[in-house]
Amino acid sequence: MTENAYHPQSLEPAIQERWERDGYFHAPAHPSGEKFYALAMFPYPSGQLHMGHVRNYSIVDAIARYQRMRGKTVLHPMGWDAFGLPAENAALKNGSAPAAWTFSNIEHMRGQLKRLGLSYDWEREIATCTPDYYRWEQWLFLQLWEKGLAYQKLSTVNWDPVDQTVLANEQVVDGRGWRSGALVERREIRQWFLRISAYADELLAGLDTLQGQWPDQVLAMQRNWIGRSEGAEIHFPLADGDDVIKVFSTRPDTLFGATYLAVAAEHPLAMKAAESDTTVARFIERCKHVAVSEASMETQEKEGVPLGIQVRHPLTNALLPVWTANFVLMGYGEGAVMSVPAHDQRDFEFAHKYQLPIRIVIQSAENSPENPHELEAALTAPGQLIHSQSFTGLDSQAAKGAITEALVARGLGQKTVNYRLRDWGISRQRYWGNPIPMIHCPHCGVVPVPEKDLPVELPTHYQLHDPRSPLLDDPAFLQVDCPQCGAAAQRETDTMDTFVESSWYYARFACPDAEQMLDARAADWLPVDQYVGGVEHAVLHLLYARFFNRLLRDVGLLPKDGAHDEPFRRLLTQGMVLKDGSKMSKSKGNTVDPQAILDRYGADTARLFILFAAPPEQSLEWSDSAVEGAHRFLQRIWRMVQDYTGPVPTLAQPLGDAARDLRRAIHQCIERVTLNMEDRQHFNVVIAACMELSNQLARAEATPGSDEHAVLGEGLRTLLLLLNPFAPHLAEALWDKIGDGVTILTHPWPVADPAALHSDTVTLVIQINGKLRERLDFPIASQTKELEASVLAHPEMARHLQDKTVRKVIVVPGRLINIVVS
RNA sequence: GCCCAAGUGGCGAAAUCGGUAGACGCAAGGGACUUAAAAUCCCUCGGGUUUUCCCGUGCCGGUUCGAGUCCGGCCUUGGGCACCA
């Protein structure tokens, strides 16, 4: 073993020490020149880094380091999504306090991240479970309460009757509590909600501005989740009394085909009917029961019972019966639908089952039976209206507008838009989370904690014995004087969903020490230029963060200039890390511990492999031998640079042929790498191009003093610059030897020299009828006509062309010539 | 059922606009060096033929001088949503 062999285990910590000492990764308070904010979705401090983390952070670090070399002022922070259930579970399992457990995990994982050599500005580190962070979230909650964007309503939870606690969905296993094994009950309790629905339209429209910057898949998922549908609200007056039943329909053109109404089991009219009708009461009871087991929901048969009441059709005044049915959702629209069996498949099936009338009112080209008994399925296509009074003859599109207008004229309806998106329930009946800053007073009702009393600190001294929140039993936390009347009152004990913390942390990173939620630094650094994380957050986290960014704007913390509406300009969703074809997980026992890879090969090998094995958005198959391959490549680079003797010479002009070809390869590599760093971010191709170049450099006949030796020097330096984002420790150590004395971290990214790319000749592929036959060289400046003539006259072509008639010659400049013969 | 991706060697994958299919790497086989091994270096590596062609990018058609790439129709896999009126 020679003293200058490649030893990442000692080399990497030494380089990391240098980076830390020189403070290269500290971002200034305000960016100077062009800024670039690179961010990975921050981790939950579970205790150990896994390969998914390594992949995520290697991608972002490569981008951050690349952007620094492009001369940008880079912000690249890291923090901890530190509230949440696992800390409570761990506390119950081994008696640790959630806070202590969390902070010790953070300690360990921070060490692992540092060992990976990720270029974070550690001075901006945030842990969301510290009062310095969550107090601002409480502050924002008070602003939202003022604006009516935070409110309380009844909502269903899973209740464990043995442990006397609310369970999260993932704590319910086969309908039973995960710990007690007791059958879970559903309970309605008052919970806190944020009115994200008020931003539905804006969140939907904002997606258009992200087109091309976010994966189409994520945009599509968010669009579906918001689920906007246009239609009409239609009022059906009750036959007895003054009341109306409101329904929502996307097909007001089929209004004359409505033959009955159906309301949800929880609908007030159904509840009222149940008081005097035992059949209805029993049906409602059964609906509640079935809803408990979610599996049966999917296969559930469509069922219903008549309520014994009638409504009048808003345009014909015909009497229609009202049913309650198990497929009508109380939470969507008005909890009631008009049923048009002829033109809606679900209504069709229901009408058949209960012998309800079917009226055909739309005729379409493909299918136009006039007799309802001929129908085998609902006619859902748009078409021309029939049997629809004065609207007969209109097409569906026109009829939607005309019928809606007629309803408006009678005061029995209006054009309206409905969303699938529901308001965000943020209440958690858990201990380890951010306390909701509200007080319940027996006289004043719900009263906000005064701003001066923030933060409501979460006590951290409890020893947990069962899953019940200790806040419920702690008078020191619970008892408080009402801020309004001074009477004895109680604190809210619900804490916030941890998605709330992750909805604004990216903004806090810009000003982690601000004495308000955000200060002017946030506007300077936002939006995040490149965000990277798992596709599992495609909807919830990414939608909530988009919502919160607009809330921050609307309480005046971010500019209303249009440029700060969206939090994340560009999004990359990285694929999973697989082993033996399935996701790495402890339960499957197929995990690879990043620590073991670091110990054995070092951070550069781990990072290089994980970026080389697949494009970042695709899933990645772990391969021990491919890791070896990545390590071999780094060793080869190490040796090539060590073997490069003498100072790097300057290039002689003009160069010999071999040196010129080598230099062209170097600059073609720069072009190819740069393109992939910017546009497609296919780092696997970038690394492949570097490997290709290293192979070419290794083959060079470079005796010291020759042209090629000088070009080899240029090639090796270029290679180190191109590899720096992926193997930064090795690149820096070797740069010490053959670089220019200035740190490689901020060295300008190489630019391809047009003179080096130039060639006097071009090799064209010659095809006959589209099939490859020859490769021939031609002068670079040849005109199409000249090329055509010289290829047909070329001696190599004679045997391909004999006994053939040339019909056509296609010349694609710089690429190929296709000779069409017969 | 609806929406969105993706199907290329033994394996991971390349191939900006329609223009040389399989770059780069892994595995495998052969060779050099070595007492030997490791390491390193060189050669081969889609299939069929054996000296020049034929076939080949999930399947069937189409457009084109030319299709992995575009169009139509299927099949398979993965992901999302799912009684949304």
Side-chain angles (χ1 to χ4, degrees):
Chain A
M1 235 183 251
T2 58
E3 64 176 288
N4 56 359
Y6 177 46
H7 290 304
Q9 292 79 359
S10 54
L11 173 82
E12 290 178 349
I15 296 283
Q16 284 159 12
E17 220 168 278
R18 185 197 298 187
W19 290 337
E20 191 154 350
R21 189 188 63 223
D22 295 341
Y24 280 117
F25 307 133
H26 295 321
H30 295 271
S32 55
E34 210 178 334
K35 65 97 181 174
F36 193 95
Y37 184 177
L39 186 66
M41 292 180 185
F42 68 164
Y44 178 80
S46 57
Q48 296 287 330
L49 227 51
H50 57 69
M51 279 300 170
H53 293 127
V54 176
R55 188 177 198 192
N56 194 172
Y57 310 146
S58 297
I59 292 168
V60 182
D61 197 53
I63 294 170
R65 287 176 183 271
Y66 167 74
Q67 293 294 349
R68 276 189 203 100
M69 294 174 80
R70 297 291 305 218
K72 310 261 178 79
T73 307
V74 170
L75 173 59
H76 185 206
M78 180 43 76
W80 310 97
D81 191 11
F83 273 136
L85 207 45
E88 291 184 40
N89 293 345
L92 290 175
K93 201 172 156 197
N94 40 38
S96 55
W101 180 85
T102 302
F103 283 113
S104 105
N105 286 350
I106 287 175
E107 201 66 29
H108 183 242
M109 289 173 78
R110 187 194 299 115
Q112 291 189 306
L113 291 178
K114 289 194 169 177
R115 179 63 191 85
L116 270 168
L118 300 161
S119 62
Y120 296 128
D121 180 352
W122 282 108
E123 291 187 1
R124 293 170 184 262
E125 184 179 356
I126 286 171
T128 58
C129 63
T130 56
D132 278 352
Y133 183 82
Y134 66 69
R135 66 181 300 175
W136 303 115
E137 205 165 286
Q138 295 176 356
W139 174 85
L140 182 70
F141 186 90
L142 298 180
Q143 312 302 306
L144 299 180
W145 165 259
E146 287 287 308
K147 287 171 173 276
L149 290 169
Y151 67 96
Q152 270 190 304
K153 71 172 178 188
L154 283 176
S155 179
T156 311
V157 295
N158 306 304
W159 176 257
D160 185 321
V162 172
D163 274 342
Q164 292 286 302
T165 187
V166 174
L167 299 177
N169 281 329
E170 60 266 30
Q171 293 177 311
V172 181
V173 182
D174 296 330
R176 291 173 181 275
W178 64 298
R179 230 168 142 266
S180 67
L183 269 180
V184 169
E185 297 169 5
R186 288 163 74 89
R187 280 204 176 180
E188 295 260 300
I189 60 172
R190 286 184 78 76
Q191 303 205 64
W192 290 96
F193 284 79
L194 297 185
R195 211 179 293 281
I196 190 173
S197 60
Y199 287 76
D201 252 330
E202 205 197 326
L203 288 169
L204 186 67
L207 294 173
D208 293 338
T209 70
L210 301 172
Q211 200 77 46
Q213 305 290 305
W214 280 35
D216 288 342
Q217 184 201 9
V218 175
L219 294 175
M221 283 165 73
Q222 293 218 352
R223 283 197 185 95
N224 291 340
W225 192 264
I226 296 168
R228 182 181 202 273
S229 52
E230 270 182 43
E233 181 187 298
I234 304 173
H235 301 181
F236 289 78
L238 289 176
D240 302 318
D242 306 328
D243 220 354
V244 296
I245 298 182
K246 294 177 182 175
V247 307
F248 172 73
S249 174
T250 55
R251 293 293 302 274
D253 54 317
T254 64
L255 177 55
F256 290 89
T259 55
Y260 63 100
L261 296 197
V263 302
E266 305 96 312
H267 195 279
L269 281 172
M271 310 279 253
K272 197 173 144 203
E275 289 168 12
S276 54
D277 186 331
T278 52
T279 316
V280 174
R282 245 181 285 129
F283 178 78
I284 291 175
E285 195 49 44
R286 209 163 36 163
C287 284
K288 276 188 187 165
H289 215 74
V290 168
V292 174
S293 69
E294 293 198 0
S296 57
M297 279 280 275
E298 293 190 15
T299 49
Q300 199 184 339
E301 178 91 3
K302 289 165 189 47
E303 288 178 354
V305 292
L307 294 182
I309 52 178
Q310 291 185 309
V311 291
R312 290 201 176 275
H313 189 285
L315 297 183
T316 68
N317 286 324
L319 286 169
L320 305 179
V322 180
W323 287 58
T324 179
N326 60 359
F327 61 83
V328 182
L329 304 172
M330 194 59 214
Y332 187 77
E334 305 289 341
V337 295
M338 69 175 197
S339 292
V340 186
H343 304 296
D344 180 283
Q345 186 58 30
R346 198 185 40 208
D347 297 343
F348 180 83
E349 287 165 22
F350 194 80
H352 262 270
K353 181 165 180 170
Y354 294 106
Q355 306 293 308
L356 291 156
I358 299 174
R359 251 177 81 85
I360 298 178
V361 292
I362 304 282
Q363 244 180 359
S364 68
E366 312 95 66
N367 203 348
S368 57
E370 288 246 6
N371 183 351
H373 301 294
E374 292 171 19
L375 283 181
E376 283 170 8
L379 307 172
T380 54
Q384 268 205 338
L385 272 68
I386 55 173
H387 306 312
S388 298
Q389 293 186 346
S390 61
F391 305 98
T392 299
L394 292 179
D395 65 46
S396 288
Q397 193 53 38
K400 283 180 184 176
I403 289 178
T404 306
E405 274 170 41
L407 290 167
V408 171
R410 288 178 159 225
L412 290 174
Q414 60 189 30
K415 192 170 181 255
T416 176
V417 174
N418 247 308
Y419 298 92
R420 205 194 79 102
L421 180 69
R422 305 295 155 75
D423 280 341
W424 177 12
I426 59 157
S427 275
R428 296 292 180 270
Q429 293 71 35
R430 310 277 10 140
Y431 155 61
W432 190 235
N434 184 10
I436 292 174
M438 287 288 173
I439 290 166
H440 299 276
C441 171
H443 311 295
C444 311
V446 174
V447 179
V449 173
E451 227 176 285
K452 65 174 172 50
D453 294 341
L454 294 184
V456 177
E457 272 203 50
L458 184 73
T460 54
H461 64 271
Y462 304 123
Q463 187 72 45
L464 301 191
H465 300 292
D466 56 54
R468 181 181 160 88
S469 170
L471 299 179
L472 293 163
D473 308 314
D474 180 4
F477 178 82
L478 216 51
Q479 291 173 5
V480 64
D481 293 341
C482 171
Q484 263 175 32
C485 70
Q490 286 209 336
R491 281 197 194 282
E492 171 66 64
T493 52
D494 281 0
T495 54
M496 295 190 209
D497 181 0
T498 56
F499 272 115
V500 177
E501 282 87 62
S502 57
S503 292
W504 67 284
Y505 76 106
Y506 59 88
R508 183 72 182 176
F509 273 138
C511 47
D513 53 358
E515 284 302 318
Q516 51 181 315
M517 191 172 193
L518 300 176
D519 64 25
R521 291 173 285 176
D524 275 2
W525 282 110
L526 291 176
V528 172
D529 293 279
Q530 177 72 64
Y531 197 36
V532 182
V535 74
E536 66 272 20
H537 294 112
V539 179
L540 295 182
H541 163 58
L542 288 167
L543 190 66
Y544 293 151
R546 295 181 60 231
F547 168 46
F548 254 62
N549 204 64
R550 288 165 169 83
L551 294 177
L552 295 170
R553 176 198 65 192
D554 291 346
V555 299
L557 293 173
L558 288 174
K560 293 179 178 162
D561 57 3
H564 290 81
D565 290 349
E566 289 292 339
F568 313 120
R569 190 192 301 280
R570 196 174 182 190
L571 173 70
L572 192 160
T573 50
Q574 108 248 8
M576 290 187 299
V577 181
L578 313 177
K579 177 100 186 282
D580 307 322
S582 62
K583 185 180 181 179
M584 280 190 186
S585 71
K586 276 186 193 154
S587 58
K588 290 201 196 82
N590 62 345
T591 54
V592 175
D593 183 5
Q595 195 61 50
I597 302 298
L598 286 174
D599 293 346
R600 180 151 184 200
Y601 300 104
D604 284 346
T605 295
R607 297 167 52 148
L608 190 82
F609 162 75
I610 217 160
L611 292 176
F612 176 61
E617 71 281 3
Q618 257 175 55
S619 61
L620 177 154
E621 183 71 36
W622 185 266
S623 157
D624 290 326
S625 55
V627 176
E628 291 271 2
H631 191 61
R632 276 201 293 270
F633 170 69
L634 292 181
Q635 283 179 312
R636 208 150 45 231
I637 300 291
W638 184 269
R639 274 197 306 274
M640 280 171 74
V641 174
Q642 296 298 338
D643 292 348
Y644 191 83
T645 49
V648 177
T650 45
L651 289 181
Q653 294 292 345
L655 296 168
D657 283 352
R660 239 169 33 142
D661 288 348
L662 186 60
R663 185 147 195 270
R664 191 179 310 115
I666 294 167
H667 287 261
Q668 281 171 344
C669 181
I670 294 172
E671 266 198 326
R672 194 168 156 209
V673 164
T674 307
L675 188 79
N676 270 292
M677 292 302 294
E678 292 282 343
D679 290 353
R680 296 193 306 167
Q681 301 179 312
H682 278 195
F683 307 113
N684 56 326
V685 180
V686 169
I687 294 164
C690 290
M691 288 174 168
E692 206 174 341
L693 178 61
S694 85
N695 291 341
Q696 284 163 313
L697 294 176
R699 255 181 265 128
E701 306 268 344
T703 48
S706 67
D707 288 356
E708 271 189 283
H709 188 256
V711 174
L712 174 61
E714 184 189 10
L716 289 172
R717 280 184 311 196
T718 303
L719 199 51
L720 294 182
L721 292 169
L722 300 181
L723 282 173
N724 185 47
F726 312 103
H729 309 87
L730 169 128
E732 173 142 345
L734 294 177
W735 193 253
D736 285 347
K737 181 174 161 68
I738 60 164
D740 56 3
V742 180
T743 175
I744 196 169
L745 293 171
T746 52
H747 189 286
W749 187 255
V751 177
D753 176 3
L757 293 171
H758 177 80
S759 171
D760 294 332
T761 62
V762 61
T763 306
L764 295 185
V765 161
I766 312 302
Q767 298 180 338
I768 308 280
N769 289 347
K771 295 205 189 308
L772 172 74
R773 284 297 177 268
E774 299 289 336
R775 276 167 236 262
L776 300 174
D777 287 346
F778 297 92
I780 191 89
S782 304
Q783 299 297 305
T784 300
K785 282 287 163 212
E786 298 167 11
L787 282 171
E788 220 177 292
S790 63
V791 73
L792 290 175
H794 201 283
E796 290 289 332
M797 295 307 294
R799 65 194 176 87
H800 297 299
L801 296 174
Q802 64 180 357
D803 308 328
K804 304 273 166 58
T805 312
V806 174
R807 298 286 174 199
K808 199 173 175 182
V809 179
I810 313 259
V811 176
V812 183
R815 286 229 173 242
L816 57 74
I817 299 173
N818 188 15
I819 303 168
V820 184
V821 301
S822 59

